[in-house]
Amino acid sequence: MRIALDGPSGAGKSTVAKAVAKRLGIVYVDTGALYRSIGLYVQRKGVSKDDKEKVIAMLDEIKLDLKFNDGTQVVLLNGEDVGGFIRTGEISMYASAVSAIPEVRAFLLETQRKIARENSVIMDGRDIGTVIIPDAEVKIFLVASAEARAERRYKELIEKGESCTYEGVLADIKERDNNDSTRAVAPAVPAEDAIFLDNSNLNQEQTIDKVIEIIENTVKKKKPKKKRRFYRAVKFLLGKIVGFFLGVRVKNKNKEIFDKPFILCANHTSLLDAIVIVIAMKNQIRYMGKKEIFKIPLLNLFIKAMGAFPVDRKKGDVAAIKKTLEILKGGECVGIFPQGTRHPYENPRDTEVKDGIGMMASRAGVGIVPVYIKNKSGKVKWFHKNTVIIGDYISPEEIAFPELSGREKYKAISNYAFDKICSIGESWEDKK
Ligand code: DC
């Protein structure tokens, strides 16, 4: 899930974005802080903000990093946390001036795109929906009249004990609006498909509620309403006939997850695992299956009709990852066996876990449902009692791991989910 929140200064984007990020368990990225940090560097060096040549030449001396501590963004300028220095009126003007320089924007492009690639985010800025994430799932352009914004800002400054006049604040806002929206590169204008929200007459709470409503409506609208008659018919027959011979028992029929997209992860004991899970789960589970089984005639047609899709396990299969993200973002569920291959008769804790699950859950912004498949003989077998224990839903918030990034984060998510699977199995054994 990527949400682009653009709009002029002072429209309240950061307050809204923070609240939305908290509610949805996603990462809030304040891109203005990057421009502000460059502005600060230029100001500290005593260089004029309008001296483009010098500003461009200084970019080589600058290293910017964004870190997230408990979900709060920290911006590091050459290793120094500059959060306390970049929110002044003077630095706002420096930020606005340097942000109009194409080389500065190019310098910051990849930093921003990388964060959006690796996380579910709400990003606030000016060009998020037009340049940084043009394919964001939701784009909102938040505005308020210059007067309403000046009034809010003026009150804020007075409360902080700063001396200023309303007229001065209004003039600064108008100047920044003019700079930001008329510059030649990435001007602060709404993307064609952005939803416009004017909050001149709304308070903070009302604005947050409105933004959440827009996000929910947009995501709902994008969910394809697929008819799954074949799947439902097969599930019914499997449940009645095969389920009987497989002796399937389901524990913890978890109602909370019926209408959510998620990744279902289970231990892998036998080829029959997928069948017992289809029988056990109310949601349709679309399986990522090894590409070899898609070569078997008839079976190939059947599993495709059931919504399964192939993965080449020998390479980083980009198409399979894309397909998974597409399915999850469309509101459907994907089933994956994190062990990659079958491990009958083995304690799952003794096996390795693939980190792809973490990457896909993180990038799609969905939760994970851990499932443990239990059979006395060590693998699912015909004419044996096969038990499917559905674990508690792991929310995206629970696996946000904001202090980690990239592969470390994906690995942590995969391990977390797999640990839950193993724990379900162990507590089940203890109970018995
Ligand atoms: O959102 P802010 O006020 O902290 O942004 C500071 C300046 O940076 C603002 O004047 C415009 C610029 N900016 C930008 O050009 N593009 C962004 N994505 C974010 C900020």
Side-chain angles (χ1 to χ4, degrees), residues 6 9-10 13 30-33 35-36 87 92 95-97 99-100 105 112 124-128 132 176 180 183 186:
D6 290 306
S9 340
K13 297 188 299 292
D30 164 16
T31 61
Y35 293 94
R36 287 175 179 272
R87 306 272 161 215
S92 298
S96 183
S99 72
R105 306 202 72 83
Q112 298 171 79
D124 100 32
R126 305 293 186 288
D127 60 342
I128 310 301
I132 308 295
R176 271 223 281 161
D180 297 347
R183 66 186 175 215

Side-chain angles (χ1 to χ4, degrees), residues 347-350 372 374 389 418-432:
N347 180 348
R349 286 215 192 266
D350 296 339
Y372 187 75
K374 167 87 198 120
I389 311 161
F418 196 64
D419 179 63
K420 293 274 177 199
I421 297 174
C422 298
S423 304
I424 299 169
E426 285 152 6
S427 65
W428 185 250
E429 295 296 347
D430 290 347
K431 251 192 258 169
K432 282 178 49 190

Side-chain angles (χ1 to χ4, degrees), residues 121-339:
V121 291
I122 176 160
M123 240 182 201
D124 100 32
R126 305 293 186 288
D127 60 342
I128 310 301
T130 48
V131 178
I132 308 295
I133 341 174
D135 58 344
E137 282 71 26
V138 186
K139 294 182 190 176
I140 299 172
F141 202 79
L142 186 64
V143 294
S145 67
E147 289 71 19
R149 287 181 284 138
E151 178 123 11
R152 291 175 199 158
R153 183 84 187 122
Y154 173 68
K155 276 192 193 148
E156 236 174 64
L157 291 172
I158 294 294
E159 268 166 31
K160 272 196 210 162
E162 287 186 31
S163 75
C164 59
T165 64
Y166 167 78
E167 287 71 26
V169 174
L170 179 62
D172 276 0
I173 283 194
K174 285 189 171 166
E175 187 184 338
R176 271 223 281 161
D177 279 1
N178 188 48
N179 286 350
D180 297 347
S181 61
T182 58
R183 66 186 175 215
V185 276
V189 292
E192 264 177 27
D193 50 348
I195 294 166
F196 216 75
L197 175 61
D198 184 336
N199 75 354
S200 305
N201 298 314
L202 302 179
N203 65 25
Q204 258 179 25
E205 271 312 302
Q206 291 166 325
T207 308
I208 294 165
D209 288 346
K210 198 80 201 146
V211 167
I212 296 263
E213 189 186 312
I214 293 174
I215 295 169
E216 284 177 354
N217 288 341
T218 314
V219 173
K220 250 188 235 157
K221 248 191 245 158
K222 284 190 176 163
K223 263 192 202 175
K225 293 240 176 322
K226 287 198 183 112
K227 291 197 185 99
R228 290 285 169 210
R229 286 205 199 102
F230 181 76
Y231 186 92
R232 290 213 304 271
V234 172
K235 177 177 156 60
F236 177 77
L237 290 175
L238 283 177
K240 290 282 172 230
I241 305 164
V242 184
F244 174 73
F245 292 114
L246 275 176
V248 177
R249 280 161 185 71
V250 185
K251 301 287 169 198
N252 298 350
K253 291 182 187 162
N254 189 343
K255 291 204 180 67
E256 188 201 357
I257 56 180
F258 288 167
D259 59 350
K260 283 194 176 88
F262 55 78
I263 298 179
L264 182 143
C265 291
N267 56 321
H268 201 7
T269 68
S270 141
L271 281 177
L272 296 169
D273 292 341
I275 297 180
V276 297
I277 288 175
V278 167
I279 294 172
M281 298 297 297
K282 192 170 157 87
N283 310 55
Q284 179 188 3
I285 307 296
R286 299 190 58 181
Y287 271 97
M288 179 188 265
K290 56 180 177 184
K291 77 169 199 253
E292 293 77 7
I293 42 174
F294 285 80
K295 292 197 178 124
I296 304 171
L298 289 181
L299 180 66
N300 157 38
L301 291 179
F302 174 73
I303 56 179
K304 270 196 193 155
M306 290 292 283
F309 57 100
V311 60
D312 185 345
R313 295 176 305 165
K314 295 198 186 77
K315 57 170 196 177
D317 189 341
V318 179
I321 295 171
K322 269 197 179 162
K323 181 80 190 166
T324 308
L325 295 178
E326 198 182 288
I327 293 172
L328 293 168
K329 285 179 185 170
E332 295 184 286
C333 305
V334 171
I336 302 176
F337 294 107
Q339 288 162 292

